[in-house]
Amino acid sequence: IRANHTVTHLAHKALRHVLGNHVTQKGSMVAADRMRFDITHNKQITREELREVERLVNEAIRQDYKVNTKMMSQEDAIKSGAMALFGEKYGEEVRVVCVTGDGHDYSMELCGGTHANSTGEIGYFNIVSESAVAAGVRRIECLTGPKAEEFVDDLENKLQSLSYLLKSNIDTLDLRVANLLEENKKLHQEIFEMRKAIASGAGTKEQNLEVVNGVNFVGKILDDIPVKELKAFVDESKKTMTSGIVLLATNNDGKASVVVGVTDDLTAKYSAVDLVKIASAAVGGQGGGGRPDMAQAGGTSGDKIAQAIEAVKAYLMGS
């Protein structure tokens, strides 16, 4: 606790140096195994800035600066440059914690907490996360001493395991992962184009084109298609039709997704929103939404998407 309390002063000093003098402490939590520190700052602290804060704090730790306390009047403490928490109430006499080295005060703050005798007792400092907690307030979570070493050891073990898994080494691991992500992106695009080609083929007689009450209609079930792709597939199918209505449905893990597209010449008579609501009711949904030319809906009964197609056809027959 003493080490983590003292490191809040070092971190405060380093954060002001790296981010600017607008940084002030808004709160902290000091425990035996970790430290949390909230500061005023109106944007995310970058990875490079966090690494620089770590470097400055660990440099102060290696210098083994002495940590001293002294009682002073509040006025004298402020005049001497000691930092006080804005909004905090202090008595006439205050306790000032000074981190001193190289003939000067590295840090001076009004504080009543327990502290290390010197910064060297902290051992090692590591920032493990940074996040927003409120408008204009950022939070860093930190570890010191053995806990910080355990954290770094765990990261190294994970890197070694990942390197072995990807048949790479740590030095080139980032490049290996970047290449794999690019390959994955290309494969996904290829799969998407293949699915789109299958869906767009729905405008031919061989691919479910029917004439229902004088309207060209395509109702097709596509297995295990991501919902976000259905709209693109409906658009592609509409392009193959001079005039008509397209309904594509998919069942993903028991959940139904339905997208209806209507060519522009028919939207005055048939709204995709109305049609998709009929389909949604058949699959246990609560309606749907969209535009007259394109709408989508979902439902809890993925096994009933065939009934959704039939329900829309029945509506067209009776219209």
Side-chain angles (χ1 to χ4, degrees), residues 122 124 144-151:
I122 299 168
Y124 178 56
T144 59
K147 288 295 181 181
E149 292 176 10
E150 290 174 14
F151 175 77

Short mmCIF file of all heavy atoms in Angstrom, two decimals, residues 122 124 144-151:
data_model
loop_
_atom_site.label_atom_id
_atom_site.label_comp_id
_atom_site.label_asym_id
_atom_site.label_seq_id
_atom_site.Cartn_x
_atom_site.Cartn_y
_atom_site.Cartn_z
N ILE A 122 9.54 0.93 -4.36
CA ILE A 122 8.42 0.62 -5.27
C ILE A 122 8.80 -0.51 -6.22
O ILE A 122 7.98 -1.35 -6.58
CB ILE A 122 8.01 1.88 -6.07
CG1 ILE A 122 7.56 2.98 -5.10
CG2 ILE A 122 6.92 1.56 -7.07
CD1 ILE A 122 7.41 4.36 -5.74
N TYR A 124 9.11 -1.46 -9.35
CA TYR A 124 8.80 -1.40 -10.78
C TYR A 124 7.36 -0.95 -10.93
O TYR A 124 6.50 -1.26 -10.10
CB TYR A 124 9.01 -2.78 -11.42
CG TYR A 124 8.68 -2.87 -12.89
CD1 TYR A 124 9.27 -2.03 -13.82
CD2 TYR A 124 7.76 -3.81 -13.35
CE1 TYR A 124 8.96 -2.11 -15.16
CE2 TYR A 124 7.44 -3.91 -14.69
CZ TYR A 124 8.04 -3.05 -15.60
OH TYR A 124 7.73 -3.15 -16.93
N THR A 144 2.56 -2.26 -9.25
CA THR A 144 3.93 -1.99 -8.85
C THR A 144 4.58 -3.26 -8.30
O THR A 144 3.90 -4.24 -7.97
CB THR A 144 3.99 -0.90 -7.75
OG1 THR A 144 3.23 -1.33 -6.62
CG2 THR A 144 3.45 0.42 -8.26
N GLY A 145 5.91 -3.21 -8.22
CA GLY A 145 6.67 -4.29 -7.59
C GLY A 145 6.41 -5.66 -8.17
O GLY A 145 6.28 -5.83 -9.40
N PRO A 146 6.29 -6.69 -7.33
CA PRO A 146 6.10 -8.07 -7.80
C PRO A 146 4.86 -8.24 -8.67
O PRO A 146 4.87 -9.02 -9.63
CB PRO A 146 5.98 -8.86 -6.50
CG PRO A 146 6.72 -8.07 -5.49
CD PRO A 146 6.48 -6.63 -5.86
N LYS A 147 3.78 -7.51 -8.36
CA LYS A 147 2.56 -7.64 -9.16
C LYS A 147 2.78 -7.15 -10.58
O LYS A 147 2.26 -7.72 -11.55
CB LYS A 147 1.41 -6.87 -8.51
CG LYS A 147 0.87 -7.51 -7.24
CD LYS A 147 0.23 -8.86 -7.54
CE LYS A 147 -0.35 -9.50 -6.29
NZ LYS A 147 -0.94 -10.83 -6.57
N ALA A 148 3.55 -6.07 -10.72
CA ALA A 148 3.87 -5.56 -12.05
C ALA A 148 4.74 -6.55 -12.81
O ALA A 148 4.57 -6.77 -14.01
CB ALA A 148 4.57 -4.20 -11.94
N GLU A 149 5.68 -7.18 -12.10
CA GLU A 149 6.54 -8.18 -12.74
C GLU A 149 5.72 -9.39 -13.19
O GLU A 149 5.94 -9.94 -14.28
CB GLU A 149 7.64 -8.61 -11.77
CG GLU A 149 8.66 -7.52 -11.47
CD GLU A 149 9.67 -7.95 -10.43
OE1 GLU A 149 9.69 -9.16 -10.09
OE2 GLU A 149 10.43 -7.10 -9.95
N GLU A 150 4.78 -9.83 -12.35
CA GLU A 150 3.91 -10.95 -12.72
C GLU A 150 3.09 -10.62 -13.96
O GLU A 150 2.90 -11.47 -14.84
CB GLU A 150 2.97 -11.28 -11.55
CG GLU A 150 3.65 -11.91 -10.35
CD GLU A 150 2.70 -12.07 -9.18
OE1 GLU A 150 1.47 -11.95 -9.39
OE2 GLU A 150 3.18 -12.30 -8.05
N PHE A 151 2.62 -9.38 -14.04
CA PHE A 151 1.84 -8.96 -15.19
C PHE A 151 2.68 -9.03 -16.47
O PHE A 151 2.22 -9.55 -17.50
CB PHE A 151 1.34 -7.53 -14.97
CG PHE A 151 0.61 -6.94 -16.15
CD1 PHE A 151 -0.70 -7.30 -16.44
CD2 PHE A 151 1.25 -6.02 -16.98
CE1 PHE A 151 -1.37 -6.76 -17.52
CE2 PHE A 151 0.58 -5.48 -18.07
CZ PHE A 151 -0.73 -5.85 -18.34
#
